[in-house]
Amino acid sequence: MVRKPTSKETARKPNMREAILAAAEELFATNGFNAVSVRDIAQAAGANPGSVTYHFKTKDGLLLEIYRRHCGPMNLRRSELLAAAKRVRDLQDRLEAVVRAYVVPAFTSGSDLAGGGARFTRLRAVMSAEGNEVARKIIAQTFDDTSHAFIDAVHESLPHIPRTDIVWRSHFLLGALYYSLVTPDRVSRLSRGEADGSDAASAIEQLVQATVAAFQAPALDQAAPVRRRPVVSSKT
Amino acid sequence: MVRKPTSKETARKPNMREAILAAAEELFATNGFNAVSVRDIAQAAGANPGSVTYHFKTKDGLLLEIYRRHCGPMNLRRSELLAAAKRVRDLQDRLEAVVRAYVVPAFTSGSDLAGGGARFTRLRAVMSAEGNEVARKIIAQTFDDTSHAFIDAVHESLPHIPRTDIVWRSHFLLGALYYSLVTPDRVSRLSRGEADGSDAASAIEQLVQATVAAFQAPALDQAAPVRRRPVVSSKT
DNA sequence: ATGTGATTTGTACTATCGTACAAAAGATCA
DNA sequence: TGATCTTTTGTACGATAGTACAAATCACAT
Protein backbone atom coordinates (compact mmCIF):
# COMPACT_ATOMS: atom_id res chain seq x y z
CA MET A 1 0.00 0.00 0.00
CA VAL A 2 2.80 2.40 0.80
CA ARG A 3 4.87 0.97 -2.01
CA LYS A 4 7.12 3.65 -3.47
CA PRO A 5 7.61 3.48 -7.25
CA THR A 6 11.02 5.09 -7.08
CA SER A 7 12.57 3.33 -10.06
CA LYS A 8 10.09 3.59 -12.85
CA GLU A 9 8.12 6.57 -11.57
CA THR A 10 5.11 7.39 -13.66
CA ALA A 11 6.36 6.78 -17.13
CA ARG A 12 4.11 8.29 -19.74
CA LYS A 13 3.38 11.60 -18.11
CA PRO A 14 6.76 12.55 -16.68
CA ASN A 15 5.82 13.22 -13.10
CA MET A 16 3.03 15.71 -13.03
CA ARG A 17 3.66 16.35 -9.36
CA GLU A 18 7.12 17.67 -10.12
CA ALA A 19 5.83 19.78 -12.98
CA ILE A 20 3.30 21.41 -10.69
CA LEU A 21 5.94 22.11 -8.06
CA ALA A 22 8.28 23.64 -10.62
CA ALA A 23 5.58 25.78 -12.16
CA ALA A 24 4.36 26.98 -8.79
CA GLU A 25 7.89 27.79 -7.71
CA GLU A 26 8.49 29.89 -10.79
CA LEU A 27 5.17 31.70 -10.64
CA PHE A 28 5.28 32.37 -6.89
CA ALA A 29 8.87 33.62 -7.16
CA THR A 30 8.04 36.16 -9.83
CA ASN A 31 4.50 37.25 -8.97
CA GLY A 32 4.02 36.56 -5.30
CA PHE A 33 1.69 34.11 -3.64
CA ASN A 34 -1.64 35.86 -3.88
CA ALA A 35 -1.30 37.02 -7.46
CA VAL A 36 -1.00 33.46 -8.70
CA SER A 37 -4.06 31.25 -8.85
CA VAL A 38 -4.16 27.49 -8.67
CA ARG A 39 -5.47 27.54 -12.21
CA ASP A 40 -2.46 29.56 -13.36
CA ILE A 41 -0.16 26.97 -11.85
CA ALA A 42 -2.05 24.06 -13.33
CA GLN A 43 -2.02 25.62 -16.76
CA ALA A 44 1.72 26.38 -16.60
CA ALA A 45 2.35 22.78 -15.59
CA GLY A 46 0.06 21.36 -18.25
CA ALA A 47 -2.11 19.87 -15.55
CA ASN A 48 -5.68 20.05 -14.39
CA PRO A 49 -6.62 22.30 -11.47
CA GLY A 50 -8.00 19.31 -9.64
CA SER A 51 -4.63 17.64 -9.87
CA VAL A 52 -3.11 20.32 -7.69
CA THR A 53 -5.70 19.64 -5.02
CA TYR A 54 -5.05 15.92 -5.29
CA HIS A 55 -1.30 16.19 -4.74
CA PHE A 56 -1.09 19.05 -2.27
CA LYS A 57 -4.56 19.38 -0.83
CA THR A 58 -4.44 23.19 -0.56
CA LYS A 59 -2.53 26.10 -2.05
CA ASP A 60 -0.76 26.57 1.26
CA GLY A 61 0.17 22.91 1.19
CA LEU A 62 1.77 23.41 -2.18
CA LEU A 63 3.88 26.27 -0.88
CA LEU A 64 4.79 24.23 2.17
CA GLU A 65 6.02 21.37 0.00
CA ILE A 66 8.17 23.76 -2.05
CA TYR A 67 9.88 24.84 1.15
CA ARG A 68 10.23 21.30 2.46
CA ARG A 69 11.97 20.16 -0.70
CA HIS A 70 14.54 22.93 -0.73
CA CYS A 71 15.37 23.68 2.88
CA GLY A 72 17.16 20.41 3.50
CA PRO A 73 19.47 20.38 0.48
CA MET A 74 20.24 24.07 0.69
CA ASN A 75 21.11 24.06 4.37
CA LEU A 76 23.17 20.91 3.86
CA ARG A 77 25.14 22.55 1.10
CA ARG A 78 25.63 25.64 3.20
CA SER A 79 26.96 23.75 6.17
CA GLU A 80 29.33 21.78 3.96
CA LEU A 81 30.71 24.98 2.52
CA LEU A 82 30.80 26.58 5.94
CA ALA A 83 32.74 23.69 7.38
CA ALA A 84 35.23 23.94 4.54
CA ALA A 85 35.50 27.68 5.03
CA LYS A 86 36.24 27.29 8.72
CA ARG A 87 39.32 25.27 7.86
CA VAL A 88 40.90 28.21 6.06
CA ARG A 89 43.74 29.42 8.21
CA ASP A 90 44.25 33.02 7.11
CA LEU A 91 41.68 35.13 8.90
CA GLN A 92 40.96 37.47 6.01
CA ASP A 93 40.60 34.59 3.57
CA ARG A 94 38.46 32.69 6.02
CA LEU A 95 36.01 35.54 6.36
CA GLU A 96 35.67 35.71 2.61
CA ALA A 97 35.18 31.95 2.39
CA VAL A 98 32.51 32.08 5.09
CA VAL A 99 30.61 34.80 3.28
CA ARG A 100 30.97 32.86 0.05
CA ALA A 101 29.57 29.76 1.72
CA TYR A 102 26.48 31.75 2.60
CA VAL A 103 26.07 33.47 -0.74
CA VAL A 104 26.96 30.85 -3.34
CA PRO A 105 24.20 28.30 -2.63
CA ALA A 106 21.61 31.06 -2.83
CA PHE A 107 22.65 31.96 -6.36
CA THR A 108 23.11 28.59 -8.03
CA SER A 109 20.98 28.28 -11.11
CA GLY A 110 19.44 25.24 -12.71
CA SER A 111 16.21 23.36 -12.50
CA ASP A 112 17.02 20.53 -10.11
CA LEU A 113 16.86 20.68 -6.35
CA ALA A 114 20.55 21.21 -5.77
CA GLY A 115 20.86 23.82 -8.50
CA GLY A 116 17.63 25.72 -8.17
CA GLY A 117 18.92 27.86 -5.34
CA ALA A 118 18.36 31.17 -7.10
CA ARG A 119 14.73 30.52 -7.84
CA PHE A 120 14.02 29.29 -4.34
CA THR A 121 15.88 32.17 -2.75
CA ARG A 122 13.91 34.60 -4.84
CA LEU A 123 10.77 32.85 -3.72
CA ARG A 124 11.82 33.30 -0.11
CA ALA A 125 12.49 36.97 -0.75
CA VAL A 126 9.04 37.52 -2.17
CA MET A 127 7.27 35.54 0.55
CA SER A 128 9.20 37.49 3.16
CA ALA A 129 8.09 40.77 1.62
CA GLU A 130 4.49 39.66 1.47
CA GLY A 131 4.56 38.58 5.08
CA ASN A 132 3.35 35.12 4.11
CA GLU A 133 2.39 33.18 7.22
CA VAL A 134 3.29 29.71 5.97
CA ALA A 135 6.71 30.94 4.91
CA ARG A 136 7.32 32.81 8.13
CA LYS A 137 6.87 29.71 10.25
CA ILE A 138 9.10 27.54 8.08
CA ILE A 139 11.79 30.20 7.83
CA ALA A 140 12.07 30.89 11.52
CA GLN A 141 12.39 27.23 12.44
CA THR A 142 14.59 26.15 9.55
CA PHE A 143 16.91 28.98 8.62
CA ASP A 144 17.64 30.52 11.98
CA ASP A 145 20.05 27.69 12.83
CA THR A 146 21.94 28.29 9.61
CA SER A 147 21.92 32.03 10.21
CA HIS A 148 23.27 31.63 13.71
CA ALA A 149 26.00 29.30 12.48
CA PHE A 150 26.93 31.85 9.86
CA ILE A 151 26.93 34.72 12.32
CA ASP A 152 29.09 32.76 14.74
CA ALA A 153 31.54 31.90 11.98
CA VAL A 154 31.84 35.55 11.00
CA HIS A 155 32.24 36.48 14.64
CA GLU A 156 35.15 34.09 14.97
CA SER A 157 36.95 35.88 12.16
CA LEU A 158 36.16 39.26 13.67
CA PRO A 159 36.27 38.82 17.45
CA HIS A 160 36.63 42.54 18.09
CA ILE A 161 33.27 43.37 16.48
CA PRO A 162 30.24 43.09 18.78
CA ARG A 163 27.86 40.32 17.86
CA THR A 164 25.04 42.84 17.50
CA ASP A 165 26.86 44.62 14.71
CA ILE A 166 27.50 41.33 12.94
CA VAL A 167 23.82 40.47 13.16
CA TRP A 168 22.91 43.78 11.55
CA ARG A 169 25.47 43.38 8.82
CA SER A 170 24.47 39.83 8.02
CA HIS A 171 20.90 41.05 7.89
CA PHE A 172 21.98 43.64 5.33
CA LEU A 173 23.72 40.88 3.41
CA LEU A 174 20.55 38.85 3.18
CA GLY A 175 18.59 41.90 2.12
CA ALA A 176 21.10 42.74 -0.60
CA LEU A 177 21.11 39.13 -1.73
CA TYR A 178 17.34 39.01 -1.92
CA TYR A 179 17.09 42.27 -3.77
CA SER A 180 19.71 41.22 -6.30
CA LEU A 181 17.59 38.22 -7.17
CA VAL A 182 14.33 40.12 -7.19
CA THR A 183 15.25 43.04 -9.43
CA PRO A 184 18.45 42.27 -11.33
CA ASP A 185 17.33 44.50 -14.19
CA ARG A 186 17.76 47.55 -12.00
CA VAL A 187 21.52 46.98 -11.94
CA SER A 188 21.64 46.76 -15.71
CA ARG A 189 19.57 49.90 -16.02
CA LEU A 190 21.48 52.04 -13.54
CA SER A 191 24.85 50.95 -14.92
CA ARG A 192 23.56 51.91 -18.38
CA GLY A 193 24.19 48.41 -19.67
CA GLU A 194 27.74 48.18 -18.39
CA ALA A 195 26.82 45.52 -15.85
CA ASP A 196 24.48 42.57 -16.14
CA GLY A 197 22.40 42.21 -13.02
CA SER A 198 21.29 38.76 -14.07
CA ASP A 199 24.81 37.38 -14.16
CA ALA A 200 25.11 35.25 -11.05
CA ALA A 201 28.91 35.17 -11.11
CA SER A 202 29.15 38.97 -11.10
CA ALA A 203 26.52 39.30 -8.45
CA ILE A 204 28.33 36.83 -6.20
CA GLU A 205 31.72 38.49 -6.58
CA GLN A 206 30.33 41.97 -6.05
CA LEU A 207 28.26 40.89 -3.09
CA VAL A 208 31.09 38.98 -1.42
CA GLN A 209 33.53 41.82 -1.89
CA ALA A 210 31.14 44.44 -0.55
CA THR A 211 29.98 42.29 2.34
CA VAL A 212 33.46 41.37 3.55
CA ALA A 213 34.30 45.06 3.65
CA ALA A 214 31.09 45.82 5.50
CA PHE A 215 31.83 43.16 8.11
CA GLN A 216 35.32 44.56 8.59
CA ALA A 217 34.04 48.06 9.24
CA PRO A 218 34.88 49.39 12.70
CA ALA A 219 32.35 48.61 15.39
CA LEU A 220 29.63 51.16 15.87
CA ASP A 221 29.88 51.74 19.60
CA GLN A 222 33.43 52.93 19.54
CA ALA A 223 33.36 54.71 16.19
CA ALA A 224 30.10 56.55 16.04
CA PRO A 225 29.60 58.65 19.18
CA VAL A 226 32.89 60.54 19.16
CA ARG A 227 32.98 61.34 15.47
CA ARG A 228 32.86 64.83 14.07
CA ARG A 229 29.73 66.93 14.20
CA PRO A 230 26.89 65.44 12.24
CA VAL A 231 26.96 67.06 8.83
CA VAL A 232 23.46 65.98 8.04
CA SER A 233 20.76 65.63 10.59
CA SER A 234 17.10 64.79 10.63
CA LYS A 235 14.84 67.81 10.54
CA THR A 236 12.52 66.78 13.33
CA MET B 1 -11.62 74.70 21.45
CA VAL B 2 -11.42 73.29 18.01
CA ARG B 3 -12.20 76.01 15.54
CA LYS B 4 -13.99 74.53 12.60
CA PRO B 5 -11.58 74.66 9.67
CA THR B 6 -13.76 76.14 6.98
CA SER B 7 -12.11 75.12 3.81
CA LYS B 8 -12.91 73.06 0.80
CA GLU B 9 -12.16 69.87 2.68
CA THR B 10 -14.85 68.17 4.67
CA ALA B 11 -14.61 69.14 8.27
CA ARG B 12 -16.82 66.84 10.28
CA LYS B 13 -15.53 63.63 8.83
CA PRO B 14 -11.83 64.45 8.74
CA ASN B 15 -11.04 63.86 5.10
CA MET B 16 -12.12 60.40 4.16
CA ARG B 17 -9.88 60.50 1.14
CA GLU B 18 -6.82 60.85 3.35
CA ALA B 19 -8.02 58.11 5.65
CA ILE B 20 -8.38 55.73 2.73
CA LEU B 21 -4.92 56.59 1.46
CA ALA B 22 -3.38 56.06 4.88
CA ALA B 23 -5.17 52.76 5.43
CA ALA B 24 -4.24 51.49 1.99
CA GLU B 25 -0.65 52.49 2.49
CA GLU B 26 -0.44 50.61 5.76
CA LEU B 27 -2.19 47.49 4.48
CA PHE B 28 -0.29 47.33 1.19
CA ALA B 29 3.01 47.84 2.97
CA THR B 30 2.45 44.95 5.34
CA ASN B 31 0.48 42.47 3.27
CA GLY B 32 1.23 43.22 -0.34
CA PHE B 33 -1.05 44.48 -3.04
CA ASN B 34 -3.01 41.39 -3.97
CA ALA B 35 -3.65 40.15 -0.45
CA VAL B 36 -5.53 43.31 0.43
CA SER B 37 -9.02 43.87 -0.89
CA VAL B 38 -10.74 47.16 -1.48
CA ARG B 39 -13.18 46.15 1.22
CA ASP B 40 -10.32 45.62 3.68
CA ILE B 41 -9.06 49.11 2.96
CA ALA B 42 -12.49 50.67 3.26
CA GLN B 43 -13.11 48.96 6.57
CA ALA B 44 -9.74 50.01 7.98
CA ALA B 45 -10.46 53.59 6.96
CA GLY B 46 -13.99 53.51 8.31
CA ALA B 47 -15.31 54.10 4.85
CA ASN B 48 -17.58 52.42 2.38
CA PRO B 49 -16.16 50.33 -0.47
CA GLY B 50 -17.91 52.53 -2.98
CA SER B 51 -16.09 55.54 -1.57
CA VAL B 52 -12.79 54.09 -2.68
CA THR B 53 -14.09 53.76 -6.22
CA TYR B 54 -15.37 57.32 -6.09
CA HIS B 55 -12.04 58.85 -5.07
CA PHE B 56 -9.60 56.66 -6.95
CA LYS B 57 -11.62 54.92 -9.63
CA THR B 58 -9.69 51.64 -9.42
CA LYS B 59 -7.45 49.79 -7.00
CA ASP B 60 -4.49 50.51 -9.27
CA GLY B 61 -5.45 54.16 -9.22
CA LEU B 62 -5.31 54.11 -5.45
CA LEU B 63 -1.80 52.68 -5.49
CA LEU B 64 -0.79 55.22 -8.12
CA GLU B 65 -2.00 58.07 -5.95
CA ILE B 66 -0.01 56.76 -2.99
CA TYR B 67 3.13 56.89 -5.10
CA ARG B 68 2.31 60.30 -6.53
CA ARG B 69 1.91 61.80 -3.10
CA HIS B 70 5.19 60.53 -1.74
CA CYS B 71 7.62 60.61 -4.63
CA GLY B 72 7.83 64.35 -4.82
CA PRO B 73 8.43 65.18 -1.16
CA MET B 74 10.83 62.28 -0.67
CA ASN B 75 12.96 63.06 -3.68
CA LEU B 76 12.97 66.71 -2.74
CA ARG B 77 14.17 65.90 0.74
CA ARG B 78 16.82 63.62 -0.67
CA SER B 79 18.21 66.19 -3.06
CA GLU B 80 18.29 68.80 -0.31
CA LEU B 81 20.29 66.46 1.89
CA LEU B 82 22.44 65.42 -1.04
CA ALA B 83 23.24 69.02 -1.89
CA ALA B 84 24.21 69.65 1.72
CA ALA B 85 26.31 66.51 1.75
CA LYS B 86 28.19 67.56 -1.37
CA ARG B 87 29.37 70.66 0.40
CA VAL B 88 31.27 68.63 2.96
CA ARG B 89 34.96 69.07 2.24
CA ASP B 90 36.58 66.04 3.83
CA LEU B 91 36.20 63.15 1.38
CA GLN B 92 35.55 60.49 3.99
CA ASP B 93 33.01 62.63 5.78
CA ARG B 94 31.37 63.56 2.52
CA LEU B 95 30.85 59.94 1.55
CA GLU B 96 29.18 59.26 4.87
CA ALA B 97 26.99 62.35 4.48
CA VAL B 98 25.99 61.27 0.98
CA VAL B 99 24.99 57.82 2.18
CA ARG B 100 23.12 59.37 5.05
CA ALA B 101 21.27 61.64 2.66
CA TYR B 102 20.07 58.55 0.86
CA VAL B 103 19.18 56.51 3.92
CA VAL B 104 17.66 58.96 6.38
CA PRO B 105 14.59 60.03 4.37
CA ALA B 106 13.72 56.39 3.81
CA PHE B 107 13.57 55.70 7.54
CA THR B 108 11.76 58.74 8.88
CA SER B 109 8.67 57.73 10.76
CA GLY B 110 5.43 59.54 11.29
CA SER B 111 2.07 59.72 9.66
CA ASP B 112 2.34 62.82 7.50
CA LEU B 113 3.78 63.00 4.03
CA ALA B 114 7.19 64.28 5.00
CA GLY B 115 7.57 61.87 7.89
CA GLY B 116 5.98 58.75 6.50
CA GLY B 117 9.11 57.69 4.69
CA ALA B 118 9.47 54.36 6.45
CA ARG B 119 5.97 53.21 5.60
CA PHE B 120 6.25 54.30 2.01
CA THR B 121 9.68 52.76 1.60
CA ARG B 122 8.39 49.51 2.97
CA LEU B 123 5.53 49.73 0.51
CA ARG B 124 8.02 50.17 -2.32
CA ALA B 125 9.98 47.18 -1.09
CA VAL B 126 6.92 44.97 -1.11
CA MET B 127 5.69 46.17 -4.49
CA SER B 128 9.13 45.60 -5.91
CA ALA B 129 9.16 42.04 -4.61
CA GLU B 130 5.72 41.36 -6.02
CA GLY B 131 6.74 42.70 -9.40
CA ASN B 132 3.80 45.11 -9.36
CA GLU B 133 3.38 46.69 -12.77
CA VAL B 134 2.01 50.03 -11.62
CA ALA B 135 4.87 50.42 -9.17
CA ARG B 136 7.49 49.36 -11.67
CA LYS B 137 6.56 52.12 -14.09
CA ILE B 138 6.48 54.83 -11.47
CA ILE B 139 9.73 53.71 -9.92
CA ALA B 140 11.73 53.60 -13.13
CA GLN B 141 10.66 57.05 -14.19
CA THR B 142 10.76 58.74 -10.81
CA PHE B 143 13.53 57.22 -8.75
CA ASP B 144 16.16 56.53 -11.36
CA ASP B 145 17.13 60.21 -11.46
CA THR B 146 17.62 60.23 -7.73
CA SER B 147 19.55 56.98 -7.88
CA HIS B 148 21.84 58.30 -10.58
CA ALA B 149 22.46 61.48 -8.63
CA PHE B 150 23.32 59.39 -5.60
CA ILE B 151 25.62 57.10 -7.55
CA ASP B 152 27.39 60.06 -9.10
CA ALA B 153 27.86 61.67 -5.72
CA VAL B 154 29.38 58.49 -4.31
CA HIS B 155 31.55 58.21 -7.39
CA GLU B 156 32.91 61.69 -6.78
CA SER B 157 34.05 60.66 -3.35
CA LEU B 158 35.57 57.46 -4.68
CA PRO B 159 36.95 58.27 -8.13
CA HIS B 160 39.20 55.21 -8.19
CA ILE B 161 36.27 52.79 -7.99
CA PRO B 162 34.62 51.90 -11.31
CA ARG B 163 31.09 53.14 -11.67
CA THR B 164 29.88 49.61 -12.21
CA ASP B 165 31.03 48.58 -8.76
CA ILE B 166 29.34 51.60 -7.23
CA VAL B 167 26.10 50.69 -8.96
CA TRP B 168 26.25 47.18 -7.52
CA ARG B 169 27.02 48.45 -4.04
CA SER B 170 24.28 51.05 -4.08
CA HIS B 171 21.95 48.30 -5.23
CA PHE B 172 22.98 46.26 -2.21
CA LEU B 173 22.35 49.31 -0.05
CA LEU B 174 18.80 49.62 -1.29
CA GLY B 175 18.21 45.91 -0.79
CA ALA B 176 19.53 46.07 2.76
CA LEU B 177 17.43 49.13 3.44
CA TYR B 178 14.30 47.50 2.10
CA TYR B 179 14.86 44.31 4.03
CA SER B 180 15.46 46.19 7.27
CA LEU B 181 12.06 47.78 6.91
CA VAL B 182 10.32 44.59 5.84
CA THR B 183 11.50 42.21 8.55
CA PRO B 184 12.93 44.17 11.45
CA ASP B 185 11.94 41.39 13.85
CA ARG B 186 14.56 39.12 12.33
CA VAL B 187 17.29 41.35 13.72
CA SER B 188 15.80 41.22 17.17
CA ARG B 189 15.47 37.45 16.95
CA LEU B 190 18.97 36.70 15.66
CA SER B 191 20.58 39.06 18.15
CA ARG B 192 18.66 37.28 20.89
CA GLY B 193 17.05 40.52 21.96
CA GLU B 194 20.27 42.50 22.16
CA ALA B 195 19.31 44.66 19.22
CA ASP B 196 15.98 46.17 18.26
CA GLY B 197 15.38 45.84 14.56
CA SER B 198 12.51 48.29 14.74
CA ASP B 199 14.66 51.10 16.07
CA ALA B 200 15.15 53.43 13.14
CA ALA B 201 18.12 55.23 14.66
CA SER B 202 20.05 51.99 15.15
CA ALA B 203 19.15 50.77 11.70
CA ILE B 204 20.35 54.01 10.13
CA GLU B 205 23.65 54.06 11.99
CA GLN B 206 24.36 50.41 11.29
CA LEU B 207 23.39 50.72 7.66
CA VAL B 208 25.42 53.87 7.06
CA GLN B 209 28.48 52.44 8.76
CA ALA B 210 28.32 49.16 6.86
CA THR B 211 27.56 50.81 3.54
CA VAL B 212 30.36 53.33 3.73
CA ALA B 213 32.77 50.47 4.34
CA ALA B 214 31.30 48.52 1.44
CA PHE B 215 31.69 51.47 -0.90
CA GLN B 216 35.29 51.88 0.17
CA ALA B 217 36.16 48.27 -0.57
CA PRO B 218 38.81 47.82 -3.28
CA ALA B 219 37.49 47.63 -6.82
CA LEU B 220 36.66 44.18 -8.07
CA ASP B 221 38.56 44.11 -11.34
CA GLN B 222 41.93 44.67 -9.78
CA ALA B 223 41.38 42.69 -6.62
CA ALA B 224 39.51 39.57 -7.62
CA PRO B 225 41.26 37.83 -10.53
CA VAL B 226 44.74 37.55 -9.05
CA ARG B 227 43.72 36.48 -5.59
CA ARG B 228 44.63 33.17 -4.01
CA ARG B 229 43.05 29.95 -5.17
CA PRO B 230 39.32 29.84 -4.59
CA VAL B 231 38.77 28.14 -1.29
CA VAL B 232 35.18 27.45 -2.03
CA SER B 233 33.88 26.86 -5.50
CA SER B 234 30.60 26.05 -7.11
CA LYS B 235 30.04 22.37 -7.76
CA THR B 236 28.88 22.66 -11.33
C1' DA C 1 -34.74 77.18 4.11
C1' DT C 2 -33.58 75.65 0.04
C1' DG C 3 -31.25 74.39 -4.10
C1' DT C 4 -26.87 72.52 -5.75
C1' DG C 5 -22.87 70.17 -6.30
C1' DA C 6 -19.76 67.10 -3.82
C1' DT C 7 -19.56 62.95 -1.19
C1' DT C 8 -21.11 58.69 1.01
C1' DT C 9 -23.94 54.62 1.17
C1' DG C 10 -26.00 50.41 -0.20
C1' DT C 11 -26.38 47.08 -3.35
C1' DA C 12 -25.80 44.39 -7.37
C1' DC C 13 -23.28 42.50 -11.22
C1' DT C 14 -19.86 39.61 -13.22
C1' DA C 15 -15.51 37.28 -12.86
C1' DT C 16 -12.56 34.55 -10.56
C1' DC C 17 -10.96 32.46 -6.48
C1' DG C 18 -9.84 27.89 -3.66
C1' DT C 19 -11.57 23.64 -3.10
C1' DA C 20 -14.54 19.38 -3.31
C1' DC C 21 -15.96 15.37 -5.61
C1' DA C 22 -17.61 11.95 -8.84
C1' DA C 23 -16.35 9.90 -13.05
C1' DA C 24 -12.78 8.60 -16.43
C1' DA C 25 -8.28 6.94 -17.46
C1' DG C 26 -3.95 4.57 -16.43
C1' DA C 27 -1.14 1.46 -14.16
C1' DT C 28 -0.07 -3.04 -11.74
C1' DC C 29 -0.38 -7.72 -10.82
C1' DA C 30 -3.14 -12.14 -9.66
C1' DT D 1 -8.21 -10.70 -18.61
C1' DG D 2 -10.36 -8.45 -14.66
C1' DA D 3 -9.62 -6.39 -10.01
C1' DT D 4 -7.68 -2.79 -7.57
C1' DC D 5 -5.30 1.19 -6.62
C1' DT D 6 -3.42 5.66 -8.22
C1' DT D 7 -3.78 9.56 -10.93
C1' DT D 8 -6.14 12.77 -13.97
C1' DT D 9 -10.20 15.05 -15.64
C1' DG D 10 -14.35 17.73 -15.64
C1' DT D 11 -17.41 20.26 -13.31
C1' DA D 12 -19.71 22.57 -9.67
C1' DC D 13 -20.22 25.25 -5.41
C1' DG D 14 -19.85 28.88 -2.13
C1' DA D 15 -16.99 32.87 -1.13
C1' DT D 16 -15.01 36.88 -2.40
C1' DA D 17 -12.89 39.85 -5.71
C1' DG D 18 -13.16 44.67 -8.34
C1' DT D 19 -16.17 47.79 -9.91
C1' DA D 20 -20.53 50.25 -11.36
C1' DC D 21 -24.44 52.96 -10.19
C1' DA D 22 -28.63 54.87 -8.22
C1' DA D 23 -30.22 56.65 -3.98
C1' DA D 24 -29.26 58.98 0.22
C1' DT D 25 -26.72 62.42 2.62
C1' DC D 26 -23.88 66.28 3.45
C1' DA D 27 -21.74 71.17 3.11
C1' DC D 28 -22.60 75.53 1.97
C1' DA D 29 -23.82 79.67 -0.86
C1' DT D 30 -27.86 81.91 -1.67
Side-chain angles (χ1 to χ4, degrees):
Chain A
M1 46 185 76
V2 207
R3 175 186 41 83
K4 194 72 190 287
T6 39
S7 55
K8 200 68 186 296
E9 307 274 15
T10 37
R12 276 176 45 80
K13 295 273 181 177
N15 224 347
M16 189 97 280
R17 191 186 139 97
E18 294 298 316
I20 292 171
L21 279 168
E25 214 176 290
E26 178 66 26
L27 287 172
F28 285 158
T30 52
N31 301 102
F33 184 76
N34 294 285
V36 177
S37 73
V38 173
R39 286 168 178 83
D40 290 338
I41 297 166
Q43 186 170 22
N48 189 284
S51 198
V52 177
T53 306
Y54 170 73
H55 283 291
F56 308 101
K57 198 65 186 171
T58 68
K59 197 183 171 188
D60 276 359
L62 173 54
L63 181 63
L64 200 71
E65 182 57 25
I66 291 174
Y67 272 85
R68 244 204 294 269
R69 272 160 46 101
H70 277 103
C71 286
M74 177 164 236
N75 277 334
L76 186 67
R77 180 137 165 68
R78 266 190 174 153
S79 38
E80 285 170 7
L81 292 178
L82 189 60
K86 279 183 171 174
R87 286 193 292 272
V88 176
R89 259 190 298 281
D90 179 80
L91 270 184
Q92 160 87 13
D93 282 354
R94 188 195 300 169
L95 176 60
E96 181 178 325
V98 166
V99 172
R100 209 172 283 273
Y102 189 79
V103 169
V104 166
F107 271 98
T108 54
S109 59
S111 58
D112 58 326
L113 247 66
R119 195 156 24 106
F120 177 57
T121 307
R122 177 168 179 176
L123 177 83
R124 281 164 49 210
V126 177
M127 293 305 125
S128 159
E130 283 189 317
N132 185 286
E133 267 310 309
V134 177
R136 176 142 50 203
K137 280 176 197 157
I138 303 278
I139 286 294
Q141 75 187 37
T142 310
F143 279 94
D144 276 12
D145 288 346
T146 307
S147 297
H148 273 124
F150 172 68
I151 289 165
D152 291 342
V154 173
H155 201 9
E156 277 176 36
S157 296
L158 299 165
H160 59 290
I161 306 284
R163 214 189 113 96
T164 301
D165 291 21
I166 294 179
V167 169
W168 272 108
R169 292 167 190 180
S170 71
H171 190 67
F172 298 151
L173 163 59
L174 187 55
L177 196 158
Y178 276 174
Y179 195 50
S180 299
L181 288 167
V182 166
T183 37
D185 54 289
R186 185 173 172 274
V187 173
S188 311
R189 217 171 58 234
L190 288 181
S191 71
R192 304 196 183 92
E194 280 180 41
D196 178 13
S198 308
D199 179 39
S202 300
I204 291 173
E205 290 313 312
Q206 292 281 357
L207 188 52
V208 168
Q209 184 84 355
T211 302
V212 166
F215 274 131
Q216 289 171 330
L220 255 199
D221 293 337
Q222 57 216 54
V226 214
R227 277 191 69 80
R228 299 168 183 82
R229 57 174 163 77
V231 201
V232 171
S233 66
S234 182
K235 268 180 181 169
T236 46
Chain B
M1 62 182 187
V2 183
R3 181 81 180 105
K4 189 168 72 175
T6 54
S7 63
K8 195 66 193 295
E9 291 127 36
T10 47
R12 274 174 45 80
K13 296 268 182 177
N15 225 345
M16 190 95 281
R17 192 187 138 96
E18 294 299 315
I20 293 171
L21 279 168
E25 214 176 289
E26 178 66 28
L27 287 172
F28 286 158
T30 52
N31 300 102
F33 184 75
N34 294 285
V36 178
S37 73
V38 173
R39 286 168 177 81
D40 290 339
I41 297 166
Q43 187 170 21
N48 189 282
S51 197
V52 177
T53 307
Y54 170 73
H55 284 292
F56 308 101
K57 197 64 184 173
T58 67
K59 196 181 171 190
D60 276 0
L62 173 54
L63 181 63
L64 201 70
E65 183 57 25
I66 293 175
Y67 271 84
R68 244 204 292 269
R69 270 160 47 101
H70 276 104
C71 286
M74 178 165 237
N75 277 334
L76 186 68
R77 181 136 165 71
R78 266 188 175 157
S79 37
E80 283 171 8
L81 292 179
L82 188 60
K86 278 183 171 176
R87 286 193 291 272
V88 176
R89 262 192 294 279
D90 180 80
L91 270 184
Q92 160 87 13
D93 282 354
R94 188 194 301 170
L95 177 61
E96 182 178 324
V98 166
V99 171
R100 209 172 283 272
Y102 189 78
V103 169
V104 165
F107 270 97
T108 54
S109 58
S111 57
D112 58 327
L113 247 64
R119 195 154 27 102
F120 177 57
T121 306
R122 177 167 180 177
L123 176 84
R124 281 163 50 207
V126 177
M127 294 304 127
S128 157
E130 283 187 318
N132 186 286
E133 267 311 308
V134 177
R136 177 141 49 202
K137 281 174 196 159
I138 302 278
I139 286 293
Q141 76 186 35
T142 310
F143 279 94
D144 277 12
D145 289 345
T146 308
S147 297
H148 274 124
F150 172 69
I151 289 166
D152 291 342
V154 173
H155 201 10
E156 276 176 37
S157 297
L158 299 166
H160 58 289
I161 307 284
R163 216 191 112 95
T164 302
D165 290 22
I166 295 178
V167 169
W168 272 108
R169 291 166 192 180
S170 71
H171 190 67
F172 298 152
L173 163 59
L174 187 54
L177 196 160
Y178 276 174
Y179 195 50
S180 298
L181 288 168
V182 167
T183 38
D185 54 288
R186 186 173 172 273
V187 173
S188 310
R189 217 171 58 235
L190 288 180
S191 71
R192 303 196 184 91
E194 281 180 41
D196 178 12
S198 308
D199 179 37
S202 299
I204 290 174
E205 290 313 311
Q206 292 281 356
L207 188 52
V208 168
Q209 184 85 354
T211 302
V212 166
F215 274 131
Q216 289 172 329
L220 255 199
D221 294 336
Q222 59 216 50
V226 212
R227 278 191 68 82
R228 300 166 184 79
R229 57 172 165 74
V231 203
V232 169
S233 66
S234 180
K235 268 180 180 170
T236 45

